[in-house]
Short mmCIF file of all heavy atoms in Angstrom, two decimals:
data_model
loop_
_atom_site.label_atom_id
_atom_site.label_comp_id
_atom_site.label_asym_id
_atom_site.label_seq_id
_atom_site.Cartn_x
_atom_site.Cartn_y
_atom_site.Cartn_z
N TRP A 1 -54.86 -17.72 -65.00
CA TRP A 1 -54.80 -19.09 -64.49
C TRP A 1 -55.50 -19.16 -63.12
O TRP A 1 -56.11 -20.16 -62.79
CB TRP A 1 -53.36 -19.55 -64.36
CG TRP A 1 -52.50 -19.20 -65.53
CD1 TRP A 1 -51.36 -18.47 -65.50
CD2 TRP A 1 -52.72 -19.51 -66.90
NE1 TRP A 1 -50.83 -18.35 -66.76
CE2 TRP A 1 -51.63 -18.96 -67.65
CE3 TRP A 1 -53.72 -20.22 -67.59
CZ2 TRP A 1 -51.56 -19.06 -69.01
CZ3 TRP A 1 -53.61 -20.34 -68.99
CH2 TRP A 1 -52.55 -19.78 -69.67
N GLY A 2 -55.38 -18.08 -62.34
CA GLY A 2 -55.98 -18.07 -61.04
C GLY A 2 -57.50 -18.24 -61.10
O GLY A 2 -58.11 -18.94 -60.29
N VAL A 3 -58.13 -17.56 -62.07
CA VAL A 3 -59.60 -17.65 -62.20
C VAL A 3 -59.99 -19.09 -62.54
O VAL A 3 -60.95 -19.64 -61.95
CB VAL A 3 -60.09 -16.70 -63.31
CG1 VAL A 3 -61.53 -16.99 -63.66
CG2 VAL A 3 -59.96 -15.26 -62.84
N VAL A 4 -59.30 -19.70 -63.46
CA VAL A 4 -59.62 -21.05 -63.88
C VAL A 4 -59.43 -22.04 -62.73
O VAL A 4 -60.30 -22.86 -62.40
CB VAL A 4 -58.72 -21.49 -65.08
CG1 VAL A 4 -59.00 -22.94 -65.43
CG2 VAL A 4 -59.03 -20.60 -66.29
N LEU A 5 -58.26 -21.95 -62.07
CA LEU A 5 -57.96 -22.91 -60.96
C LEU A 5 -58.85 -22.68 -59.77
O LEU A 5 -59.27 -23.66 -59.10
CB LEU A 5 -56.47 -22.82 -60.62
CG LEU A 5 -55.52 -23.20 -61.75
CD1 LEU A 5 -54.05 -22.94 -61.34
CD2 LEU A 5 -55.69 -24.69 -62.08
N ALA A 6 -59.10 -21.39 -59.44
CA ALA A 6 -59.97 -21.12 -58.28
C ALA A 6 -61.37 -21.62 -58.55
O ALA A 6 -62.04 -22.12 -57.61
CB ALA A 6 -59.97 -19.62 -58.01
N HIS A 7 -61.83 -21.53 -59.77
CA HIS A 7 -63.17 -22.03 -60.10
C HIS A 7 -63.23 -23.56 -59.94
O HIS A 7 -64.21 -24.13 -59.48
CB HIS A 7 -63.53 -21.65 -61.52
CG HIS A 7 -64.88 -22.18 -61.97
ND1 HIS A 7 -66.06 -21.58 -61.58
CD2 HIS A 7 -65.21 -23.25 -62.74
CE1 HIS A 7 -67.06 -22.25 -62.12
NE2 HIS A 7 -66.59 -23.26 -62.83
N LEU A 8 -62.16 -24.23 -60.34
CA LEU A 8 -62.15 -25.69 -60.32
C LEU A 8 -61.93 -26.25 -58.91
O LEU A 8 -62.47 -27.32 -58.57
CB LEU A 8 -61.07 -26.23 -61.25
CG LEU A 8 -61.27 -25.96 -62.75
CD1 LEU A 8 -60.05 -26.42 -63.55
CD2 LEU A 8 -62.52 -26.67 -63.24
N PHE A 9 -61.12 -25.55 -58.10
CA PHE A 9 -60.67 -26.17 -56.87
C PHE A 9 -61.09 -25.45 -55.59
O PHE A 9 -60.67 -25.82 -54.51
CB PHE A 9 -59.13 -26.31 -56.89
CG PHE A 9 -58.63 -27.18 -57.99
CD1 PHE A 9 -57.99 -26.63 -59.09
CD2 PHE A 9 -58.85 -28.55 -57.99
CE1 PHE A 9 -57.53 -27.44 -60.14
CE2 PHE A 9 -58.42 -29.37 -59.01
CZ PHE A 9 -57.75 -28.81 -60.11
N THR A 10 -61.88 -24.39 -55.68
CA THR A 10 -62.39 -23.71 -54.48
C THR A 10 -63.90 -23.63 -54.55
O THR A 10 -64.50 -23.73 -55.61
CB THR A 10 -61.79 -22.32 -54.30
OG1 THR A 10 -62.36 -21.43 -55.28
CG2 THR A 10 -60.28 -22.32 -54.43
N ARG A 11 -64.51 -23.41 -53.38
CA ARG A 11 -65.97 -23.26 -53.35
C ARG A 11 -66.43 -21.80 -53.33
O ARG A 11 -67.59 -21.54 -53.63
CB ARG A 11 -66.51 -23.95 -52.08
CG ARG A 11 -66.38 -25.46 -52.09
CD ARG A 11 -66.99 -26.06 -50.83
NE ARG A 11 -66.31 -25.59 -49.63
CZ ARG A 11 -66.76 -25.78 -48.39
NH1 ARG A 11 -67.90 -26.44 -48.21
NH2 ARG A 11 -66.11 -25.33 -47.36
N HIS A 12 -65.53 -20.90 -52.97
CA HIS A 12 -65.98 -19.53 -52.74
C HIS A 12 -65.42 -18.53 -53.78
O HIS A 12 -65.62 -17.33 -53.61
CB HIS A 12 -65.53 -19.08 -51.33
CG HIS A 12 -66.03 -19.98 -50.25
ND1 HIS A 12 -67.36 -20.15 -50.03
CD2 HIS A 12 -65.36 -20.75 -49.35
CE1 HIS A 12 -67.52 -21.01 -49.01
NE2 HIS A 12 -66.32 -21.36 -48.60
N GLU A 13 -64.76 -19.01 -54.82
CA GLU A 13 -64.21 -18.09 -55.80
C GLU A 13 -64.55 -18.61 -57.22
O GLU A 13 -63.69 -18.86 -58.04
CB GLU A 13 -62.68 -17.92 -55.63
CG GLU A 13 -62.33 -17.30 -54.30
CD GLU A 13 -60.86 -16.95 -54.19
OE1 GLU A 13 -60.34 -16.31 -55.13
OE2 GLU A 13 -60.23 -17.31 -53.20
N LYS A 14 -65.85 -18.78 -57.46
CA LYS A 14 -66.31 -19.32 -58.74
C LYS A 14 -66.25 -18.26 -59.85
O LYS A 14 -66.41 -17.07 -59.59
CB LYS A 14 -67.74 -19.85 -58.60
CG LYS A 14 -67.87 -21.02 -57.63
CD LYS A 14 -67.00 -22.18 -58.08
CE LYS A 14 -67.15 -23.38 -57.14
NZ LYS A 14 -66.27 -24.51 -57.54
N ALA A 15 -66.02 -18.74 -61.06
CA ALA A 15 -65.91 -17.82 -62.20
C ALA A 15 -67.26 -17.24 -62.56
O ALA A 15 -68.27 -17.95 -62.55
CB ALA A 15 -65.30 -18.57 -63.40
N THR A 16 -67.28 -15.97 -62.91
CA THR A 16 -68.47 -15.28 -63.40
C THR A 16 -68.30 -15.09 -64.90
O THR A 16 -67.19 -15.28 -65.47
CB THR A 16 -68.61 -13.91 -62.72
OG1 THR A 16 -67.45 -13.12 -63.03
CG2 THR A 16 -68.72 -14.07 -61.22
N PRO A 17 -69.37 -14.71 -65.63
CA PRO A 17 -69.21 -14.46 -67.07
C PRO A 17 -68.10 -13.46 -67.42
O PRO A 17 -67.35 -13.66 -68.40
CB PRO A 17 -70.59 -13.96 -67.48
CG PRO A 17 -71.53 -14.60 -66.51
CD PRO A 17 -70.76 -14.64 -65.20
N SER A 18 -67.98 -12.38 -66.64
CA SER A 18 -66.93 -11.40 -66.91
C SER A 18 -65.53 -11.98 -66.70
O SER A 18 -64.63 -11.67 -67.44
CB SER A 18 -67.14 -10.16 -66.06
OG SER A 18 -66.94 -10.44 -64.66
N ARG A 19 -65.40 -12.84 -65.70
CA ARG A 19 -64.12 -13.46 -65.47
C ARG A 19 -63.75 -14.45 -66.59
O ARG A 19 -62.61 -14.56 -67.00
CB ARG A 19 -64.07 -14.15 -64.12
CG ARG A 19 -64.01 -13.18 -62.96
CD ARG A 19 -64.06 -13.86 -61.60
NE ARG A 19 -63.94 -12.85 -60.55
CZ ARG A 19 -62.81 -12.62 -59.90
NH1 ARG A 19 -61.72 -13.28 -60.21
NH2 ARG A 19 -62.76 -11.71 -58.94
N ILE A 20 -64.75 -15.19 -67.07
CA ILE A 20 -64.50 -16.10 -68.20
C ILE A 20 -64.09 -15.32 -69.44
O ILE A 20 -63.16 -15.70 -70.15
CB ILE A 20 -65.74 -16.96 -68.45
CG1 ILE A 20 -66.04 -17.89 -67.27
CG2 ILE A 20 -65.59 -17.79 -69.73
CD1 ILE A 20 -67.35 -18.62 -67.35
N ALA A 21 -64.80 -14.20 -69.67
CA ALA A 21 -64.41 -13.36 -70.81
C ALA A 21 -63.00 -12.81 -70.66
O ALA A 21 -62.22 -12.71 -71.62
CB ALA A 21 -65.39 -12.18 -70.94
N GLY A 22 -62.64 -12.46 -69.42
CA GLY A 22 -61.28 -11.99 -69.15
C GLY A 22 -60.24 -13.03 -69.43
O GLY A 22 -59.16 -12.73 -69.99
N VAL A 23 -60.50 -14.29 -69.07
CA VAL A 23 -59.56 -15.36 -69.35
C VAL A 23 -59.37 -15.53 -70.85
O VAL A 23 -58.25 -15.68 -71.35
CB VAL A 23 -60.05 -16.68 -68.71
CG1 VAL A 23 -59.22 -17.86 -69.23
CG2 VAL A 23 -59.99 -16.60 -67.19
N LEU A 24 -60.46 -15.50 -71.61
CA LEU A 24 -60.39 -15.66 -73.06
C LEU A 24 -59.61 -14.53 -73.72
O LEU A 24 -58.80 -14.74 -74.62
CB LEU A 24 -61.79 -15.72 -73.68
CG LEU A 24 -62.62 -16.97 -73.25
CD1 LEU A 24 -64.02 -16.89 -73.82
CD2 LEU A 24 -61.92 -18.23 -73.66
N LEU A 25 -59.84 -13.27 -73.25
CA LEU A 25 -59.09 -12.14 -73.77
C LEU A 25 -57.60 -12.27 -73.44
O LEU A 25 -56.74 -12.04 -74.28
CB LEU A 25 -59.62 -10.86 -73.16
CG LEU A 25 -60.92 -10.31 -73.74
CD1 LEU A 25 -61.47 -9.19 -72.87
CD2 LEU A 25 -60.70 -9.79 -75.20
N GLY A 26 -57.33 -12.70 -72.25
CA GLY A 26 -55.93 -12.87 -71.83
C GLY A 26 -55.22 -13.95 -72.64
O GLY A 26 -54.05 -13.78 -73.05
N LEU A 27 -55.90 -15.07 -72.85
CA LEU A 27 -55.33 -16.15 -73.66
C LEU A 27 -55.07 -15.68 -75.07
O LEU A 27 -54.08 -16.04 -75.72
CB LEU A 27 -56.27 -17.33 -73.63
CG LEU A 27 -56.34 -18.09 -72.30
CD1 LEU A 27 -57.37 -19.22 -72.41
CD2 LEU A 27 -54.98 -18.65 -71.86
N ALA A 28 -56.00 -14.85 -75.60
CA ALA A 28 -55.81 -14.27 -76.95
C ALA A 28 -54.55 -13.43 -76.98
O ALA A 28 -53.75 -13.49 -77.96
CB ALA A 28 -57.01 -13.46 -77.37
#
């Protein structure tokens, strides 16, 4: 959740492809 929210609401902690893949694996 931190990766998703930090990407949406901060300027300096944007999601990278590996972080997006990590979120999808975690949700699975």
Side-chain angles (χ1 to χ4, degrees):
W1 317 123
V3 168
V4 175
L5 295 174
H7 178 78
L8 294 175
F9 299 109
T10 72
R11 292 182 299 170
H12 303 299
E13 298 188 49
K14 296 302 182 182
T16 61
S18 65
R19 286 176 177 261
I20 294 172
V23 170
L24 295 176
L25 283 168
L27 291 176

